[in-house]
Amino acid sequence: MPETLSLHSPGAELTDLIRRVSVARRVVVVTGAGISVNCGIPDFRSSTGLFQQIRAAHGDLVTSGRDLFDASVVFRSAETADVFYHWMTHLRRQCAGAQPGAVHRFIRQLADRGTLLRSYTQNIDGLERKAGLSVWDPYSAKGDAEHVPWQTAQSVPLHGTMEHLSCQLCSSSYHFSEQPNKSAIRAGDECPDCQTRSQVREACGRRSLATGKLRPTVVLYEEPHPHCEDIAKIISHDARALGTRRSKQPQDVVLVFGTTLKVPGCRQLVRKLATASPETTLTVFVNNEPVCGKSWDGIVDYQVIGNVEDWCARVERKWGVQTKITQWAKTRKSGASVASASSSKAKPKAVVTEKENRPVAVAASNEASSNHLATKKRKSSNCSDSSTGVRGSEATVKRKRQRSSTPSTPPPVAEPLLPIRRSLRIATQQNHVYCHSPVSICL
């Protein structure tokens, strides 16, 4: 028997389950009539549901409200068919005036987060489309704006919708208008296409044809599903997608909301999705009443008793905490990167280029050339003194005076850098003397 938890007595196990659902990689949602009750649409099997309302109003025609949704009973007589059309029109007006609830918005958030693989619904109210989900509709043509291929559809109505009317004879489809005006096409009206074909034949002198009646495009009990092959293909695709998982963390999740799992097709759907990859798929059933017994052992992992909207609110709060933590981590990471960038700008590396080192080398060369010129002048002065007959003592005294007046400072030495021998040609403008001196320069 699946492990049963209660939303009214939270514990560590329930908290961990909510955490695992909130970080799921892919989610498949299966919903029933229970998620639309708070939207103003009655369910079917409860004490105040649609079956009980029909039985109280038409107990002389049907023994159970379910009979009015049984194809073998509804179209048995014109009277029961008229009652069926009346209730379908009433239900269509309720669906048109209803707005999506908390569970529908929760499914939309799953789609916005990119984790929703598919949403399967047994409901015929069409609130998934109002919530912003793309809905697969087999009755919409490819050129229509509402047409969505099944590969990209986010929601699949298992039992049809109330948005279209279909002819029981020629299968022509029309929009099911909720407005009670005379020009609108209503449930139980004769098919316009059948009428046109019959009138054309009568104009040609041929016998008239039978005319079918329009009924909502919903699937009743005891009738074959007109699009069962298409839905089976979608289910098989999603089951294979769940079965390709190899890593156990994070898990794929199958959520079942607001249904009693009494419809055979829905039971088969949940079984196929849950058993596609039992090791990597977590199946959670949430309902006001316990439904899963021993027959679901090994298929449903957890059965949570409580309001579905409360469950969705707790998962959304967990999403909010995770989002705040993620934003804090991103902010901290960006702040650290900005600090490192500013520190690198405050302390640039000391890089000496050729242009920066060139003045030092040129200054050294100029100093060396000036010393060389001074020495040459002294020699020339000695020669001139000796030629004019000046005594050696007087010449010596004069040279000593010149040496004392000229400070002997050593030339500056360039910093030890990468040696690249390069010959500089330096000209002194005063004496027009060129000196060739090897100097070490770093590029």
Side-chain angles (χ1 to χ4, degrees):
M1 185 174 179
E3 187 167 356
T4 302
L5 303 175
S6 176
L7 283 177
H8 303 292
S9 56
E13 192 169 5
L14 180 62
T15 303
D16 182 67
L17 177 61
I18 294 175
R19 181 194 62 80
R20 292 166 66 184
V21 172
S22 65
V23 298
R25 180 175 178 267
R26 289 179 296 193
V27 181
V28 179
V29 184
V30 181
T31 59
I35 69 169
S36 298
V37 173
N38 290 340
C39 302
I41 301 175
D43 61 356
F44 289 90
R45 292 181 173 82
S46 66
S47 58
T48 58
L50 198 59
F51 289 167
Q52 295 296 328
Q53 296 178 22
I54 294 174
R55 182 181 179 182
H58 307 281
D60 54 336
L61 290 177
V62 293
T63 59
S64 172
R66 182 184 180 278
D67 294 341
L68 204 59
F69 293 88
D70 192 330
S72 61
V73 177
V74 169
F75 304 110
R76 184 182 299 173
S77 64
E79 190 176 3
T80 55
D82 291 340
V83 173
F84 169 73
Y85 296 141
H86 169 75
W87 278 97
M88 287 294 99
T89 303
H90 174 69
L91 187 59
R92 169 59 179 162
R93 293 172 183 170
Q94 285 184 319
C95 296
Q99 294 300 323
V103 182
H104 301 94
R105 293 190 293 268
F106 172 79
I107 300 174
R108 171 62 188 271
Q109 290 190 54
L110 287 173
D112 293 341
R113 293 170 63 89
T115 58
L116 180 66
L117 178 59
R118 199 87 66 184
S119 171
Y120 294 92
T121 179
Q122 302 177 78
N123 300 336
I124 59 177
D125 47 36
L127 293 181
E128 288 77 15
R129 189 188 301 277
K130 290 184 178 181
L133 298 175
S134 58
V135 181
W136 175 71
D137 188 358
Y139 292 96
S140 61
K142 290 186 178 180
D144 296 346
E146 297 181 353
H147 177 74
V148 178
W150 68 267
Q151 292 88 346
T152 58
Q154 297 169 334
S155 179
V156 175
L158 298 173
H159 300 154
T161 63
M162 298 284 290
E163 297 182 358
H164 298 280
L165 295 172
S166 177
C167 177
Q168 298 176 345
L169 191 60
C170 69
S171 300
S172 298
S173 61
Y174 302 89
H175 177 69
F176 191 177
S177 177
E178 68 277 5
Q179 301 298 331
N181 49 36
K182 295 182 179 180
S183 60
I185 299 177
R186 297 168 295 181
D189 291 348
E190 292 186 349
C191 175
D193 286 353
C194 292
Q195 289 180 340
T196 301
R197 283 193 295 269
S198 180
Q199 292 172 2
V200 170
R201 286 181 61 88
E202 290 179 356
C204 295
R206 300 180 182 180
R207 64 180 181 85
S208 61
L209 296 177
T211 302
K213 287 192 174 185
L214 301 177
R215 53 161 287 186
T217 54
V218 296
V219 182
L220 303 178
Y221 295 108
E222 305 300 331
E223 75 171 347
H225 199 301
H227 305 285
C228 60
E229 294 181 358
D230 296 332
I231 293 179
K233 181 171 59 177
I234 300 173
I235 295 173
S236 299
H237 172 273
D238 294 346
R240 286 194 302 269
L242 295 176
T244 55
R245 290 280 290 144
R246 294 294 179 264
S247 176
K248 296 183 179 180
Q249 296 295 336
Q251 288 182 309
D252 294 333
V253 176
V254 177
L255 297 175
V256 186
F257 292 153
T259 177
T260 57
L261 295 176
K262 291 185 177 181
V263 179
C266 186
R267 288 201 302 266
Q268 295 176 7
L269 168 64
V270 174
R271 288 178 183 272
K272 187 166 186 176
L273 295 174
T275 57
S277 180
E279 296 181 355
T280 60
T281 303
L282 177 69
T283 304
V284 181
F285 177 85
V286 184
N287 198 40
N288 286 325
E289 301 175 356
V291 174
C292 301
K294 292 184 179 180
S295 61
W296 293 97
D297 191 13
I299 300 175
V300 175
D301 298 305
Y302 290 93
Q303 180 177 215
V304 181
I305 308 302
N307 193 327
V308 181
E309 294 185 355
D310 293 343
W311 162 270
C312 295
R314 295 194 181 191
V315 176
E316 289 173 353
R317 284 197 295 269
K318 193 67 177 178
W319 283 341
V321 172
Q322 293 170 356
T323 303
K324 290 181 180 179
I325 293 175
T326 304
Q327 292 176 350
W328 173 81
K330 289 182 178 179
T331 304
R332 185 177 182 184
K333 186 176 180 180
S334 62
S337 61
V338 171
S340 62
S342 61
S343 62
S344 63
K345 290 182 179 179
K347 298 180 179 180
K349 295 183 179 180
V351 179
V352 180
T353 62
E354 181 182 356
K355 295 182 179 179
E356 294 173 349
N357 192 38
R358 190 181 299 274
V360 179
V362 172
S365 301
N366 291 336
E367 188 69 24
S369 62
S370 62
N371 292 337
H372 177 72
L373 292 175
T375 305
K376 191 172 182 180
K377 285 181 179 180
R378 287 196 299 270
K379 290 183 179 180
S380 63
S381 64
N382 292 338
C383 294
S384 63
D385 291 340
S386 60
S387 61
T388 55
V390 181
R391 301 295 181 180
S393 59
E394 294 178 359
T396 304
V397 173
K398 190 175 182 179
R399 285 196 298 269
K400 287 183 179 180
R401 290 177 180 176
Q402 290 178 354
R403 290 177 183 176
S404 62
S405 62
T406 304
S408 59
T409 57
V413 181
E415 296 180 3
L417 303 170
L418 295 177
I420 299 177
R421 305 291 294 178
R422 180 174 296 181
S423 178
L424 296 179
R425 187 181 182 91
I426 305 174
T428 57
Q429 297 179 359
Q430 295 83 0
N431 300 304
H432 302 283
V433 177
Y434 295 88
C435 173
H436 299 274
S437 172
V439 182
S440 297
I441 296 178
C442 178
L443 294 178

